[in-house]
Amino acid sequence: MGLQQTRIESLPFVTAELNYLAPTPGKPRTYAFDPPPGEPKSTALPEAHNVPIFDGRLIADSFSLDREGFALVKHPTSVKDYYDENEVRNVYYPAVEAFLKATLKADRVVIFDHTVRKRVEGAADIRGGGPRQPATRVHVDQTAVSGRNRVFEHLPDEAEQLVKGRVQVINLWRPIRGPLRDSPLAMADGTTVAPEDLIASDLIYPNRSGETYSVKYNPNHRWFYIPEMTPDEAILLKCYDSATDGRTRFGPHTAFVDPTTPADAAPRESIELRTLVFHKQ
């Protein structure tokens, strides 16, 4: 057993239930709106597994986007109200773009959307139906197909040239209020995720279809979280990487119910920005 493995297994952890993908015939698909009559909202049904989720704060400096597929960063911002669409786009977007470009040594960063979430007890996560809820299934935001397609969707005139270099889709996730104790984010160590664990799944919108990865349970998966995150901290999540040289390309993640959360903890509020990150190689 290596030193790193011994070090991880000595970390504090919580045991919590994570929702993996249950076996399903055919390609799983989910409607992002009310489905046609007689169609289920989703065929991607959950299969719950209790797993240890390690406290990654003590070894946060060792996490790497290219190895584990996620990283904890310090990123104070001057944003006062994340629910103000104009402030997010005019203040937060440029700050994140500059931060990621410097942190990831990128040639270019393009932010293509964001989501603000506020947990409401008993509410379903419905687009356009009140505040978005924490995503409580193990997933990756993009696939090998949809990650590349994002370039053509958002930068059609430049896409053919841009995809000749390295392209990543990076999600920057942070709590709006903290310390965050409710519905924290769990991240899988990408080195413990096998390619066959990732199941391409259709996400159907009224005017287009996207594709995400659902994730099958594998007892080899190793999970981490960062307890009591503050609003000047953020997690970088790798959702796609065009590089095929052995580095982690996809980072499964999910919100989870932490059994140690105090009963009076404030409901989770968070914001995530999804970005295209370009390197000329």
Side-chain angles (χ1 to χ4, degrees), residues 198-232:
L198 304 176
I199 307 299
S201 305
D202 286 328
L203 187 55
I204 303 169
Y205 297 91
N207 57 346
R208 68 179 184 91
S209 286
E211 194 176 65
T212 64
Y213 280 130
S214 301
V215 183
K216 289 195 302 185
Y217 174 69
N218 183 331
N220 293 326
H221 292 168
R222 186 163 53 211
W223 288 93
F224 292 94
Y225 77 119
I226 308 295
E228 302 203 350
M229 284 183 65
T230 59
D232 64 350

Side-chain angles (χ1 to χ4, degrees), residues 25 32 51 58 76 105 152 157 162 199 221 227 238 246 266:
V51 302
L58 298 174
K105 298 179 174 57
F152 289 85
D157 295 339
L162 290 169
I199 307 299
H221 292 168
K238 186 182 286 193

Side-chain angles (χ1 to χ4, degrees), residues 12 33 67 90 145 152 155 158 233:
F33 59 100
R67 187 175 56 248
N90 295 327
V145 171
F152 289 85
L155 299 164
E158 306 169 73
E233 295 179 311

Side-chain angles (χ1 to χ4, degrees), residues 83 115-121 123-125 130-134 176-177 182-183 266-272:
Y83 293 95
T115 301
V116 178
R117 300 182 191 268
K118 181 177 182 179
R119 192 179 70 79
V120 177
E121 189 67 41
D125 182 25
R132 292 293 305 274
Q133 299 301 295
I176 290 172
R177 309 192 197 290
D182 173 70
S183 294
R268 188 242 265 192
E269 296 177 68
S270 61
I271 183 170
E272 62 219 50

Side-chain angles (χ1 to χ4, degrees), residues 93-155:
Y93 274 34
V96 170
E97 181 182 326
F99 174 76
L100 289 182
K101 192 172 179 181
T103 301
L104 303 179
K105 298 179 174 57
D107 292 300
R108 186 176 176 187
V109 173
V110 176
I111 297 167
F112 61 85
D113 73 11
H114 74 276
T115 301
V116 178
R117 300 182 191 268
K118 181 177 182 179
R119 192 179 70 79
V120 177
E121 189 67 41
D125 182 25
I126 302 172
R127 289 169 172 79
R132 292 293 305 274
Q133 299 301 295
T136 55
R137 63 181 185 89
V138 180
H139 68 285
V140 183
D141 296 8
Q142 306 293 335
T143 67
V145 171
S146 67
R148 186 177 188 274
N149 284 350
R150 283 288 186 182
V151 185
F152 289 85
E153 179 182 350
H154 299 293
L155 299 164

Side-chain angles (χ1 to χ4, degrees), residues 41-64:
K41 175 90 173 166
S42 178
T43 62
L45 300 178
E47 180 180 82
H49 289 267
N50 285 308
V51 302
I53 305 174
F54 291 96
D55 178 346
R57 190 171 282 285
L58 298 174
I59 59 169
D61 288 348
S62 70
F63 292 138
S64 156

